[in-house]
Amino acid sequence: MNTRFGFFPFEAMNYKAAQAWLDRKAGQGWGLKHVCMGCIAWFQRMDQPRHFVDLDIRSGFDGDTDADYLQLCSDAGWELIQQLRGMLLFRSAPGRTPSPIQTDDELEWERFWKKYRPRIWSTLLTIIAISSLVFVLSLPSTRNLTAILAVNSGLLWLLCLTLFVVYVLTQSIHSRWYLARCRRSNRVESPGPVSTFVDSLCRLHTPMLCLILIFGAADTVAGKTVDLDWYPMNGEYTATVDACRGWPVLMASDLGLPDSGDSRFLEGHRTVLMDFLEYREITDRKEPDAPPYILTTERYDCLNETLAKLVIAQRQTETRNGAFLWGELDWEPAPELGFDESYTCRNNGYLLLRQGKVVALVGCTDFDLTSAQGLEAVRARVLNHPS
Amino acid sequence: MARKKLETLSEQMYYVLLSLHTGPMHGYRIMQHVNSLTQGRVIIGAGTLYALLARFEEEGYICLSGTEEGRKSYDLTPAGRQALEHEFDRLHQQVSDGARFLRKGDMK
């Protein structure tokens, strides 16, 4: 095999790490041919190749490197392979063994420091910005983790956000530390393996963006298990009711309430962590001026009990803080109901239950769901449904 | 710390100016000249030379004298000549001072 590929994640600030990596490859007889798609290094077998990675600080407004500089490098025996992210990648011309492009540590350090000195201050600003973001995301009013866990693209988004925060923090701290180390020695030092890890994280952003788009599209096609929007009383009514009956949701008819079928909504997602169902129904009472019954079911069939425990704890906090369509829910423990975990609120009109790995939030306004009839309906229709 | 002003010259700076003392030259010829002048002891990289030429030009030590084979040629200015001589005197003084202590036998 005369060709080999490698991962080239390096950023301009860590150009010495790129140099060390290319030196190792050259030692094995591999000469860099090109870096494709910004991070795939394409090597070919060559006779005693040499590489040099230089900071590209000579680019004009048009992005082109100064022609005199390139001419001088070419005369000295260096062939420019390509310009990449503020770096210039050189390879020795065939049959020549040129001396390094930079031979004065002090001059090299001067231009490096001039270029990256602002990072000293931007590190502090970055940490402040991330701390503010984390603070805002942790506010009760903005926290709705279960809504993210219940959608694949949401999970991926969460993963991306986490990776991004890890990247920015690590990069900021590492570049601050690296600059300080270089400053102490008054030369551009080798940045070490952490820099390669940080640069690799940065290179992940394009595939991650593609994955989000793919997952987003897949979610709308394959991720949804059911999607029946609000249906008013019309010709589709019967079909809608029948469709809903096949799913583990609490319907008015299950509680013996009038089934006027004013409107109902059913939505479901299948994610890597859980099967999620959400059902809402508004049905009129027999009394003409009385407010209607509002029924709600949220059902999380989780991957395991640990996740179910996390979901019930999280949903309890979220609904208490207002992340619920029909207002805040102030839960009270109700162990006497006989489930693994159980909470009630609003005069037992709402139940938050966990049985094994299934979590359910069920509710019906002005109906005591802890009554024998209510609990039986919840058990049979929601928690122990054969689906 | 980086030099604020070229009060003293590094070895590579010294030899670049010394090469130009012989007449106008383009960059690569300077590299070759320094290499042969010092018998390979001092090597100036292309990037380093490029930075030095830019700095000398900024300080007024050298000026563009024309183009040779499509490459920019540089020549020493009076200020550059003075800086070179000043550095030579400084180095000479250092050697003399050192010799008085380190090579006492040679001084006799």
Side-chain angles (χ1 to χ4, degrees):
Chain A
M1 288 286 285
N2 284 329
T3 299
R4 185 171 279 189
F5 294 93
F7 185 46
F8 189 94
F10 309 100
E11 290 290 314
M13 188 179 187
N14 300 317
Y15 75 107
K16 289 288 183 191
Q19 176 73 59
W21 189 69
L22 290 176
D23 283 347
R24 279 199 298 278
K25 292 286 179 190
Q28 296 160 2
W30 295 106
L32 181 67
K33 181 89 176 156
H34 197 74
V35 178
C36 318
M37 295 185 288
C39 61
I40 311 292
W42 172 17
F43 292 95
Q44 279 194 329
R45 273 264 172 239
M46 289 181 192
D47 185 31
Q48 295 184 322
R50 300 185 76 180
H51 300 108
F52 199 90
V53 184
D54 200 12
L55 261 189
D56 186 11
I57 56 164
R58 303 163 192 87
S59 294
F61 289 113
D62 53 2
D64 288 337
T65 306
D66 190 337
D68 292 330
Y69 167 76
L70 295 179
Q71 178 69 58
L72 199 52
C73 291
S74 168
D75 288 341
W78 291 106
E79 286 179 343
L80 178 66
I81 305 168
Q82 73 189 100
Q83 239 178 321
L84 183 70
R85 295 192 287 276
M87 287 176 286
L88 294 167
L89 309 180
F90 291 94
R91 186 186 56 233
S92 56
R96 297 190 66 176
T97 48
S99 50
I101 290 175
Q102 297 296 336
T103 50
D104 187 320
D105 286 347
E106 193 179 325
L107 272 180
E108 197 178 2
W109 162 245
E110 266 181 45
R111 62 184 194 144
F112 183 84
W113 177 240
K114 194 174 170 186
K115 181 170 175 145
Y116 289 108
R117 186 170 47 186
R119 287 254 178 126
I120 294 276
W121 297 107
S122 66
T123 301
L124 188 65
L125 293 175
T126 306
I127 290 170
I128 291 171
I130 287 186
S131 308
S132 311
L133 179 73
V134 169
F135 175 72
V136 169
L137 289 176
S138 64
L139 287 176
S141 56
T142 55
R143 197 166 49 190
N144 196 349
L145 184 65
T146 40
I148 296 170
L149 295 180
V151 191
N152 278 326
S153 52
L155 283 171
L156 199 64
W157 178 84
L158 194 66
L159 179 67
C160 288
L161 184 71
T162 310
L163 280 176
F164 174 73
V165 170
V166 169
Y167 164 70
V168 172
L169 270 181
T170 323
Q171 200 253 9
S172 299
I173 293 167
H174 180 264
S175 60
R176 176 75 178 76
W177 169 83
Y178 177 51
L179 283 172
R181 190 159 75 94
C182 292
R183 204 176 175 188
R184 273 197 302 276
S185 60
N186 220 23
R187 65 195 294 270
V188 187
E189 294 280 356
S190 182
V194 176
S195 66
T196 310
F197 167 73
V198 176
D199 289 349
S200 302
L201 277 180
C202 184
R203 294 279 75 72
L204 283 177
H205 72 268
T206 309
M208 286 303 253
L209 190 66
C210 294
L211 274 178
I212 288 178
L213 290 173
I214 291 167
F215 266 75
D219 255 0
T220 54
V221 179
K224 282 199 173 177
T225 51
V226 57
D227 188 9
L228 299 171
D229 215 332
W230 291 104
Y231 277 90
M233 216 161 69
N234 59 24
E236 294 177 79
Y237 165 67
T238 309
T240 308
V241 171
D242 288 344
C244 294
R245 209 174 293 285
W247 295 94
V249 294
L250 190 67
M251 300 171 71
S253 54
D254 300 322
L255 298 173
L257 300 174
D259 192 6
S260 70
D262 271 0
S263 56
R264 63 189 77 237
F265 166 95
L266 178 62
E267 191 181 44
H269 298 285
R270 176 159 293 151
T271 77
V272 292
L273 295 181
M274 64 180 72
D275 272 3
F276 167 68
L277 270 180
E278 185 179 9
Y279 176 74
R280 284 175 233 141
E281 180 181 344
I282 299 175
T283 189
D284 288 333
R285 297 189 199 215
K286 285 175 185 163
E287 302 83 21
D289 293 330
Y293 288 108
I294 299 172
L295 290 100
T296 302
T297 303
E298 287 179 19
R299 188 178 189 274
Y300 306 86
D301 190 352
C302 302
L303 202 61
N304 52 44
E305 274 197 41
T306 311
L307 183 62
K309 285 175 188 170
L310 172 77
V311 167
I312 196 170
Q314 187 62 28
R315 201 64 194 121
Q316 203 184 144
T317 313
E318 288 167 2
T319 50
R320 188 170 279 146
N321 291 320
F324 185 66
L325 186 63
W326 313 113
E328 294 168 11
L329 301 174
D330 199 10
W331 300 103
E332 293 288 337
E336 68 280 6
L337 296 182
F339 300 95
D340 288 346
E341 284 184 70
S342 36
Y343 303 88
T344 64
C345 71
R346 291 196 189 166
N347 300 320
N348 301 330
Y350 283 85
L351 303 180
L352 181 59
L353 310 166
R354 183 181 69 80
Q355 185 69 45
K357 60 190 184 67
V358 176
V359 173
L361 190 164
V362 286
C364 179
T365 49
D366 302 326
F367 191 97
D368 184 357
L369 287 176
T370 59
S371 64
Q373 185 194 7
L375 284 176
E376 178 52 32
V378 170
R379 275 201 183 90
R381 285 286 290 138
V382 182
L383 291 173
N384 301 328
H385 193 273
S387 66
Chain B
M1 284 299 291
R3 293 180 185 85
K4 287 173 188 168
K5 182 85 178 167
L6 294 178
E7 290 160 356
T8 60
L9 302 178
S10 68
E11 190 173 38
Q12 297 187 66
M13 289 172 173
Y14 178 77
Y15 279 109
V16 170
L17 291 183
L18 195 60
S19 296
L20 290 175
H21 187 67
T22 61
M25 281 185 198
H26 62 69
Y28 184 53
R29 186 163 291 176
I30 296 172
M31 287 169 67
Q32 289 176 310
H33 190 262
V34 171
N35 194 17
S36 83
L37 188 71
T38 62
Q39 294 174 317
R41 189 179 60 80
V42 177
I43 291 170
I44 304 180
T48 299
L49 179 63
Y50 178 87
L52 288 180
L53 292 174
R55 190 155 179 183
F56 285 149
E57 207 176 358
E58 194 182 304
E59 297 280 346
Y61 288 0
I62 62 171
C63 61
L64 271 175
S65 66
T67 55
E68 188 186 337
E69 299 162 358
R71 295 158 178 81
K72 286 179 185 171
S73 280
Y74 297 90
D75 199 1
L76 210 55
T77 63
R81 201 174 303 273
Q82 192 183 355
L84 180 64
E85 282 172 9
H86 181 264
E87 183 65 14
F88 172 78
D89 291 341
R90 193 180 70 83
L91 291 173
H92 190 260
Q93 187 62 52
Q94 281 183 15
V95 172
S96 303
D97 292 343
R100 268 190 288 141
F101 290 93
L102 301 171
R103 299 281 185 270
K104 281 177 183 171
D106 297 346
M107 298 292 287
K108 285 176 185 172

